[in-house]
Amino acid sequence: MRQARQQLVDTLLPTIEIEVPADEEPLDPVRLFAENVQEIWLEIGFGSGEHLAQQAIDNPSVGIIGCEPYINGVARLLADIDHHDLKNVRIFRDDARILLRAMQDQSISKAFILFPDPWPKMRHHKRRIVGPSTIPSLCRLMPPGTELRIATDDPSYKEWILQHMLACEGFEWRARHPQDWRERPADWPATRYEMKANAAGRQCSYFMFDRRG
């Protein structure tokens, strides 16, 4: 299994990996895909890739970009891409903020940040992906009417997410009732980490935000 995954890293990954252009020309993500795609979705920190792979299977006309720096997670996603012959996935193997800064305005139709590292220690909070360094970039990249989904099982990160997202005029929290954030929607595939959190008895929160006009 390890040898097969390494072969995919050596052969498949170079054909779908994103390189940020050296010049300052904004990156048009549609051009990353050989097949015609109707819109572009982005997942920041896809972990083992089960959510991203299922979204790619369910939405073949959507080009999906996944950001993940850890090679083990990338290798697992590559196995799914190969098994299902997915043509609508591209991978960025570095800090997602680099890619966010490089991409063209209003080019992302939906974004996912699912169970990111909570960096629980106070001195590490500045490393959290949901925050002042990322939210403005998402506002720039996502046109009005698009959707941002964020999930966490960490209580302190839940408060942090709501604090920063509700302070942003660019996004509106969709929830009207507690079940709107306590229950995962049917079109939101589960992740391996989520299943571990549920098995450990941790309450997962599923936040959906609409990009305001």
Side-chain angles (χ1 to χ4, degrees), residues 33 36-41 51-64 86-89 110 112 149 187-189:
F33 297 86
N36 291 328
V37 296
Q38 296 179 2
E39 54 187 298
I40 301 295
W41 294 0
H51 172 273
L52 191 153
Q54 191 61 53
Q55 292 285 16
I57 293 168
D58 294 343
N59 301 277
S61 65
V62 174
I64 305 182
L86 300 175
K87 306 298 186 184
N88 58 332
V89 177
K110 186 178 287 189
F112 311 92
R149 295 183 174 185
D187 65 342
W188 186 328

Side-chain angles (χ1 to χ4, degrees), residues 41 43 46 49-59 64 80 110 112-115 149 151 183-195 198 206 208:
W41 294 0
E43 182 165 348
F46 58 73
E50 48 275 310
H51 172 273
L52 191 153
Q54 191 61 53
Q55 292 285 16
I57 293 168
D58 294 343
N59 301 277
I64 305 182
D80 283 335
K110 186 178 287 189
F112 311 92
I113 308 176
L114 308 183
F115 301 97
R149 295 183 174 185
E183 298 177 2
R184 178 170 43 82
D187 65 342
W188 186 328
T191 71
R192 185 174 305 184
Y193 184 88
E194 175 190 350
M195 290 185 280
N198 288 331
Y206 310 93
M208 292 180 285

Side-chain angles (χ1 to χ4, degrees), residues 53 70 77 82 86 90 92 100 103 120 174 200:
Y70 298 108
L77 176 59
D82 181 62
L86 300 175
R90 296 294 181 269
F92 182 69
L100 295 181
M103 282 197 293
R174 189 181 295 178

